[in-house]
């Protein structure tokens, strides 16, 4: 197993967690046979008519991909069968979960049927039940649609369904609907799109609405459960809750009508759960999970009775047992199924006091029970907190880890990390299925984040009991009543420690280097170009570019200002003298000077410091024949370092045809007056060092040899390995050119610390300087798993100069809701003009001591503070101290022997 020098390799029982995938843009296309984009999965168009199961019509969207897909700024549009004008528009917001669905509620023909599950979007569209055209559009304005077959690539169209006798369709119309009194829906066969409505859709008699939270509602039998004493033919069986639950993962009474007694321990009258939990009187407390094999609690699904109960009530319930997506439920459809029992003599249940069980079987034995979590819990992910009010936790003091961060891909050790992640992951929920990004809920303050920051790595402390249940394929801790951002912090069941730091750790050294991914910093905003589409805030105002043009950043000047102030404060707060930048605009793509964007950022940095502090390495004359719209850049403090020679871009390697070409620049400290003429001092060769900025191919896509091999390294691993090899060759050539063997290769390598590209660089003699030795900091969080995609690699000579390394956790550990790109998405505006969530990657800072340079005084600046440099009071680090001791010994020997 390869180990990175300067850090401790974690044992294979370290951990990891779920959730988070950055927002994914979907290509505009009507045909999608690969199943890589959103589709219309079901259209129910008869809601409210006689005999119909649901009151409202709906369109259900499906996401066949492995990542959530944002529909901010999108819409569902409807045009009558013979129409040729602009369709009616129903706006969407939020996102569709990976392999999940999204429910769009529409109008109604009457009052018949039950309410839909809580919709993710509510529109006023009221399509015909028999013929018409429905469109999923990646814009919120009405489309211009031709009559006839709509072809692949029609602007704005993601998917289109023409049915009945519609004049607009994909290849051929879907079947004509039946009479309004006949319950049915148009349902897609699978999740791919063959570009033919007739082939893709069938009329099905089963109507299956499902929202993004995974909730569905089925019509209930109008016959009330039979009471044992009413003379009915099928009396309900009397059972205990433990008998109802059984010892397996499903109830032995599923599908049967039963009567059971219990005490109400949690009530969810609002927020979408529409039910409550009951637990057998007197149960709970200190449990031995080896002996406790069946749960003493159950969730009661009952919109008819949830408003009639309170925590502490003793009740007798009659209803039907079912398994709802893995959660055992007792459905009580009418008030007749609830009887309040006398409270006298009833022993209230108490919370079970135990650490989080590591196996599903142990958790099943506690399903829906009241628990008081014991031991340590650490925030592992907050990616969906701003949308669903969920916080992923890991039991213990360690985050959940990417297996390939600490173990070789495909190894038994990596598998052990995966297993440990599963054993320690639990989600702290808010007792609701509210989607705070949906148009219907954006006025509700988002849970948890409104009360304060929830940072990955923070300790979670429980002060009130919670209910352990299973929803959306995850074990969850639910509060005993729904919470929102309006809930006082003192009433929340858990609180979080503050692990934010105002500045990086003091890494010592004469000079400091850093890498910073600036998350698509584009001074060319979307409103300066044509064709751009946008993600929008809750008022429909554009915030960030989503597609349709080459811009990737802010929508307009106001949004750019919100993005820029965070980046500026973060970079100035690094205390670094040379900073490599990734994901900065390549202004040449917009007909400007190639350096226009980096010059704009440098001007903003200097304005914040109040003096001419920063400069940038100018683009070389020789450029690649083809470049991405984003590029690499190097900036530096003029009074601390000076460039030696000009910058160089790797232009002659085919390895980087799908990535950003590395950028190299040699630097030397400013130890006297720089420049030319009297008093100027030329840089010393022994103090010259080389910096190479990098941004390898992402893990998101690849075919052939670049296809995902299933070993944890993602797609395009082959490309990244080839890029690592090309980088080694480039580094060797640049060292010869700069006449130095001290080289630092910084940037976003899109590879975790034990993956093949990192190993290729280590095998070439370079040392990965991060993560840090205490193994508590990583630069990136993806799907709830922490790891480092951002690295600094040092040559052997460069390694001898290193005094310290720090990963400043200000970005990846913070909720995406704090980004400028989520400004005004919820009534709680989480955006602040500070350093936190300036990007999605964390900066890495390295201190170095050079032979001919003394250590200046001062300390690390705080965010946005004076860029004055800091020195370690002890000067240097162990390597530098050893070199100093050796020099002293040689001086002493020379004094003895002349």
């Amino acid at each position: 197993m390869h180990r990175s020098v300067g850090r401790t390799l974690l044992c294979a029982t370290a951990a990891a967690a779920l959730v988070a995938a950055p927002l994914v843009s979907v290509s505009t296309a009507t045909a999608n046979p690969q199943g890589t984009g959103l589709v219309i999965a079901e259209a129910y168009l008869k809601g409210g008519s006689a005999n119909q199961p649901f009151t409202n019509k709906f369109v259900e969207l499906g996401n066949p991909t492995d990542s959530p897909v944002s529909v901010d700024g999108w819409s569902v549009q409807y045009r009558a069968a013979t129409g040729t004008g602009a369709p009616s528009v129903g706006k969407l917001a939020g996102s569709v979960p990976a392999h999940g669905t999204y429910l769009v509620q529409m109008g109604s023909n009457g009052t018949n049927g039950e309410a839909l599950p809580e919709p993710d979007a509510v529109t006023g569209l009221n399509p015909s039940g028999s013929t018409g055209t429905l469109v999923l559009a990646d814009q919120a304005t009405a489309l211009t649609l031709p009559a006839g077959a709509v072809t692949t690539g029609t602007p704005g169209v993601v998917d289109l369904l023409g049915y009945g006798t519609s004049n607009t369709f994909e290849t051929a119309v879907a079947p004509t609907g039946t009479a309004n009194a006949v319950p049915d829906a148009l349902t897609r066969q699978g999740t791919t799109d063959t570009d033919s409505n007739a082939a893709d859709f069938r009329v099905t008699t089963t109507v299956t609405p499902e929202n993004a939270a995974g909730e569905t509602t089925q019509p209930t039998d109008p016959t009330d459960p039979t009471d044992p004493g009413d003379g009915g033919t099928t009396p309900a069986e009397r059972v205990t809750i433990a008998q109802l639950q059984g010892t397996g993962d499903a109830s032995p009474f599923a599908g049967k009508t039963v009567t059971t007694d219990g005490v109400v321990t949690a009530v969810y009258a609002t927020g979408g759960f529409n039910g409550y939990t009951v637990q057998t009187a007197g149960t709970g407390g200190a449990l031995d999970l080896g002996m406790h094999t069946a749960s003493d609690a159950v969730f009661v699904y009952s919109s008819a009775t949830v408003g009639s109960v309170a925590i502490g009530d003793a009740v007798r319930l009659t209803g039907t047992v079912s398994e709802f997506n893995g959660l055992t439920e007792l459905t009580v459809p009418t008030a007749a199924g609830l009887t309040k029992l006398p409270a006298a003599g009833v022993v209230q249940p108490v919370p079970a006091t135990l650490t989080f069980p590591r196996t599903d079987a142990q958790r099943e034995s506690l399903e829906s029970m009241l628990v008081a979590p014991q031991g340590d819990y650490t925030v592992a992910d907050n990616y969906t907190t701003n949308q669903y009010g969920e916080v992923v936790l890991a039991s213990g003091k360690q985050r959940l880890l990417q297996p390939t961060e600490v173990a070789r891909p495909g190894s038994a050790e990596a598998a052990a990390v995966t297993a440990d992640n599963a054993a320690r992951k639990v989600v702290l929920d808010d007792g609701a299925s509210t989607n705070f990004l949906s148009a219907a809920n954006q006025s509700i303050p988002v849970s948890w984040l409104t009360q304060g920051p929830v940072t990955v790595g923070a300790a979670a402390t429980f002060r009130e009991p919670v209910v352990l249940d299973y929803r959306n394929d995850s074990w969850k801790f639910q509060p005993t009543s729904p919470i929102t951002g309006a809930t006082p912090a003192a009433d929340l069941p858990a609180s979080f420690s503050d692990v934010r730091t105002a500045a990086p750790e003091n890494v010592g050294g004469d000079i400091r280097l850093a890498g910073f991914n600036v998350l698509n910093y584009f001074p060319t905003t979307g409103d300066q170009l044509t064709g751009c589409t946008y993600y929008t805030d809750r008022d429909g105002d554009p915030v960030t570019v989503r597609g349709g043009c080459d811009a990737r950043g802010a929508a307009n000047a106001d949004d750019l200002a919100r993005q820029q102030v965070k980046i500026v404060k973060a970079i100035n707060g690094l205390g670094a003298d040379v900073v490599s930048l990734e994901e900065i605009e390549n202004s040449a793509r917009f007909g400007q000077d190639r350096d226009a964007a980096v010059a704009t950022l440098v001007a903003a940095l200097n304005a914040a410091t109040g003096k001419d502090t920063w400069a940038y390495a100018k683009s070389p004359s020789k450029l690649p024949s083809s470049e991405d719209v984003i590029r690499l850049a190097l900036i530096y403090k003029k009074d601390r370092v000076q460039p030696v020679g000009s910058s160089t871009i790797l232009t002659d390697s085919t390895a980087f045809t799908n990535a950003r070409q590395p950028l190299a620049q040699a630097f030397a400290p400013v130890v006297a007056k720089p420049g030319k003429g009297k008093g100027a001092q030329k840089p010393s060769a022994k103090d010259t060092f080389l910096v190479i900025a990098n941004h390898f191919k992402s893990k998101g896509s690849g075919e052939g040899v670049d296809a995902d091999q299933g070993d944890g390294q993602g797609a395009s691993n082959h490309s990244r390995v080839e890029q690592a090899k090309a980088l080694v060759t480039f580094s060797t050539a640049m060292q010869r050119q700069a006449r130095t063997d001290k080289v630092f290769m910084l940037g976003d390598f899109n590879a975790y610390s034990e993956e093949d590209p990192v190993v290729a660089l280590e095998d070439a003699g370079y040392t990965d300087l991060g993560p840090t030795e205490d193994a508590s900091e990583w630069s990136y969080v993806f799907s709830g798993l922490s790891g480092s995609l951002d690295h600094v690699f040092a040559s052997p000579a460069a390694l001898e100069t290193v005094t310290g390394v720090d990963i400043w956790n200000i970005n990846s550990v913070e909720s995406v809701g704090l980004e400028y790109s989520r400004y005004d998405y919820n009534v709680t505006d989480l955006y602040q003009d500070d350093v936190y969530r300036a990007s999605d990657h964390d900066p890495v800072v390295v201190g170095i001591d050079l032979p001919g340079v003394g250590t200046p005084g001062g300390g690390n600046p705080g965010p946005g503070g004076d860029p004055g440099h800091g020195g370690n009071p002890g000067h240097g680090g162990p390597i530098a101290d050893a070199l100093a001791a050796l020099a002293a010994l040689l001086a002493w020997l020379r004094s003895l022997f002349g």
Side-chain angles (χ1 to χ4, degrees):
M1 178 179 294
H2 289 259
R3 289 174 168 80
S4 296
V5 176
R7 66 181 175 89
T8 301
L9 178 65
L10 300 181
C11 66
T13 56
L18 173 67
V19 206
L23 294 178
V24 177
S25 298
V26 176
S27 299
T28 303
T30 55
N32 187 17
Q34 293 78 28
T36 56
L38 298 187
V39 293
I40 296 173
E42 184 174 358
Y44 171 66
L45 307 172
K46 303 176 182 179
S49 294
N51 302 319
Q52 291 299 327
F54 297 102
T55 306
N56 287 87
K57 305 177 184 184
F58 70 81
V59 163
E60 183 181 297
L61 308 180
N63 178 8
T65 76
D66 294 331
S67 301
V69 177
S70 173
V71 291
D72 286 333
W74 290 30
S75 63
V76 169
Q77 304 190 14
Y78 171 72
R79 188 166 74 178
T82 59
T84 56
S88 300
V89 176
K91 295 182 179 181
L92 309 180
S95 65
V96 189
H99 300 290
T101 55
Y102 180 103
L103 189 63
V104 183
Q105 178 174 300
M106 301 189 295
S108 175
N109 293 337
T111 60
N112 296 291
E114 292 191 347
L116 293 170
E118 182 178 2
D120 301 298
V122 178
T123 76
L125 302 180
N126 200 9
S128 164
S130 58
T131 182
T133 304
L134 288 161
V135 189
L136 173 60
D138 61 5
Q139 62 188 54
T141 55
L143 295 165
T144 300
L145 292 175
V150 175
T151 59
T152 300
T154 299
V157 177
V158 177
D159 193 21
L160 183 146
L161 167 59
Y163 58 102
T165 58
S166 174
N167 65 3
T168 310
F169 45 82
E170 291 181 4
T171 304
V173 290
T176 301
T178 53
N180 274 345
V182 179
D184 57 32
L186 286 166
T187 305
R188 181 178 293 277
Q189 308 304 296
T191 54
T192 57
D193 186 351
T194 68
D195 205 17
S196 171
N197 293 152
D200 290 339
F201 285 89
R202 295 288 183 272
V203 175
T204 58
T205 57
T206 302
V207 183
T208 58
E210 182 174 350
N211 62 19
E215 296 175 333
T216 108
T217 299
Q218 296 294 336
T220 56
D221 190 331
T223 303
D224 291 335
T226 305
D227 185 87
D230 70 0
T233 57
T234 310
E237 186 173 353
R238 290 292 300 271
V239 296
T240 66
I241 294 177
Q243 289 172 327
L244 183 161
Q245 280 278 6
T247 58
D249 59 2
S251 170
F253 290 91
K256 298 181 180 180
T257 300
V258 301
T259 297
T260 193
D261 294 351
V263 178
V264 178
T265 56
V267 178
Y268 308 104
T270 60
F273 283 7
N274 296 319
Y276 47 98
T277 58
V278 294
Q279 186 167 330
T280 302
T283 59
L287 298 179
D288 180 354
L289 291 183
M291 303 294 293
H292 185 80
T293 58
S295 173
D296 293 305
V298 68
F299 178 74
V300 181
Y301 179 68
S302 179
S303 57
T305 64
V306 66
S308 304
V309 299
I311 293 174
D313 285 350
V315 296
R316 176 165 295 156
L317 301 165
T318 300
T320 304
V321 181
S322 65
E323 292 293 329
F324 181 77
N325 295 333
L327 177 67
T328 302
E329 293 185 349
L330 179 65
T331 298
V332 178
T334 68
L338 166 68
T339 301
K340 296 282 189 74
L341 300 176
V346 174
V347 179
Q348 293 286 317
V350 296
T353 53
L354 37 73
T355 57
F356 186 63
R358 290 181 63 86
T359 68
D360 282 340
Q362 291 174 327
R363 297 167 192 172
E364 280 285 349
S365 73
L366 299 167
E367 184 184 75
S368 296
M369 287 182 65
L370 204 61
V371 298
Q374 304 295 298
D376 297 308
Y377 289 86
T378 302
V379 176
D381 195 28
N382 52 19
Y383 187 76
T384 62
T385 309
N386 71 311
Q387 182 169 11
Y388 295 116
E390 298 177 326
V391 181
V392 177
L393 304 178
S395 62
K397 295 183 177 181
Q398 179 69 277
R399 298 196 222 171
L400 304 179
L401 296 185
Q402 288 285 353
T404 55
E405 177 62 34
V406 294
R408 289 289 287 144
S411 67
E413 291 85 355
V417 175
T418 299
D420 187 64
N421 289 339
R424 297 196 301 121
K425 179 200 166 208
V426 61
V427 178
L428 174 61
D429 206 352
D430 60 357
S433 57
T434 305
N435 177 356
F436 293 97
L437 298 183
S438 70
N441 299 320
Q442 287 175 311
S443 60
I444 304 172
V446 62
S447 307
W448 302 114
L449 294 171
T450 297
Q451 290 89 347
V454 180
T455 307
V456 173
T461 301
F462 287 89
R463 53 194 176 201
E464 297 292 339
V466 290
V467 170
L468 176 64
D469 76 355
Y470 188 83
R471 297 174 189 268
N472 309 113
D473 298 321
S474 296
W475 288 100
K476 299 188 177 184
F477 287 145
Q478 301 289 355
T480 55
S481 61
I483 65 170
T484 68
T487 306
D491 294 339
L492 298 177
S495 60
F496 305 96
S497 65
D498 184 0
V499 295
R500 285 178 166 179
T501 56
E505 293 182 7
N506 193 332
V507 295
D510 312 312
I511 300 296
R512 289 181 184 155
L513 318 175
F516 201 110
N517 183 312
V518 292
L519 188 59
N520 290 318
Y521 173 77
F522 272 59
T524 302
T525 53
D527 60 353
Q528 300 175 39
L529 305 173
T530 59
C532 296
T533 59
Y534 302 97
Y535 295 107
T536 59
D537 65 14
R538 62 197 180 104
D539 298 318
D541 294 330
V543 178
T544 51
V545 175
R546 188 175 56 77
C549 61
D550 276 345
R552 294 186 183 178
N556 54 47
D558 289 343
D559 300 311
L560 175 63
R562 280 188 283 268
Q563 178 188 24
Q564 183 171 277
V565 70
K566 279 183 169 286
I567 294 172
V568 165
K569 287 185 175 182
I571 291 176
N572 275 334
L574 282 170
D577 304 307
V578 179
V579 181
S580 72
L581 304 176
E582 302 91 50
E583 290 194 18
I584 192 167
E585 171 190 301
N586 181 358
S587 302
R589 290 288 290 268
F590 303 103
Q592 306 171 46
D593 183 274
R594 187 177 185 272
D595 293 332
V598 67
T600 300
L601 180 56
V602 164
L605 289 164
N606 288 337
T609 64
K611 51 187 177 180
D612 192 23
T613 303
W614 293 92
Y616 60 90
K618 293 180 172 56
S619 291
S621 57
K622 185 178 180 182
L623 298 173
S625 57
S626 177
E627 290 190 276
D628 199 347
V629 71
I630 55 174
R631 53 163 284 196
L632 295 156
L634 289 164
I635 61 175
Y636 62 94
K637 287 179 180 171
K638 296 165 65 175
D639 65 342
R640 300 287 304 137
V641 297
Q642 54 190 315
V644 177
S646 61
S647 67
T648 305
I649 298 176
L650 176 57
T651 60
D652 58 356
S653 173
T654 58
F656 285 92
T657 55
N658 61 356
R660 282 60 51 180
Q661 293 89 348
L663 168 68
Q665 175 68 63
F667 291 96
V670 174
V671 294
K673 183 179 179 181
K676 298 178 180 180
K678 186 176 181 180
Q681 179 172 319
K682 292 183 179 180
S684 170
K686 66 181 179 181
D687 291 332
T688 299
F689 60 95
L690 183 66
V691 177
I692 305 178
N694 298 273
H695 190 183
F696 282 11
K697 176 70 175 73
S698 71
K699 294 173 175 286
S701 61
E703 299 177 352
V705 294
D706 266 338
D708 192 331
Q709 302 300 305
D711 59 359
Q713 300 189 89
S716 297
N717 185 60
H718 178 269
S719 281
R720 288 189 294 276
V721 171
E722 293 303 305
Q723 287 158 13
K725 294 176 181 177
L727 175 59
V728 169
T729 302
F730 181 57
S731 174
T732 301
M734 290 301 96
Q735 291 176 60
R736 286 196 299 266
Q737 178 176 300
R739 298 182 179 180
T740 180
D741 56 358
K742 292 186 286 291
V743 57
F744 296 91
M745 305 186 301
L746 301 83
D748 177 2
F749 291 83
N750 273 311
Y752 294 109
S753 297
E754 292 296 331
E755 293 184 358
D756 295 343
V758 174
V759 169
L761 293 171
E762 291 177 334
D763 285 348
Y766 293 87
T767 298
D768 184 0
L769 300 181
T772 53
E773 290 186 4
D774 63 0
S776 64
E777 295 178 328
W778 298 271
S779 74
Y780 198 63
V781 179
F782 182 77
S783 290
L785 308 180
S786 294
S788 284
L789 297 177
D790 308 88
H791 303 269
V792 178
F793 293 95
S795 65
L799 180 63
E800 292 301 308
T801 70
V802 174
T803 59
V805 183
D806 185 45
I807 298 175
W808 192 19
N809 283 150
I810 55 172
N811 295 328
S812 71
V813 296
E814 299 288 346
S815 167
V816 68
L818 278 60
E819 269 183 25
Y820 90 95
S821 61
R822 304 302 190 278
Y823 177 77
D824 197 28
Y825 269 42
N826 181 261
V827 67
T828 300
D829 189 1
L830 300 171
Y831 173 86
Q832 298 290 327
D833 62 351
D834 54 24
V835 302
Y836 304 109
R837 200 68 189 192
S839 178
D840 55 345
H841 293 247
D842 291 316
V844 185
V845 187
V846 177
I848 62 174
D849 261 343
L850 297 171
V853 184
T855 304
N860 271 0
D866 186 273
H869 207 287
N872 189 335
H875 187 74
I879 297 173
D881 290 343
L883 290 172
L886 178 60
L889 176 61
L890 291 174
W892 178 70
L893 290 173
R894 282 195 295 270
S895 70
L896 289 179
F897 300 106

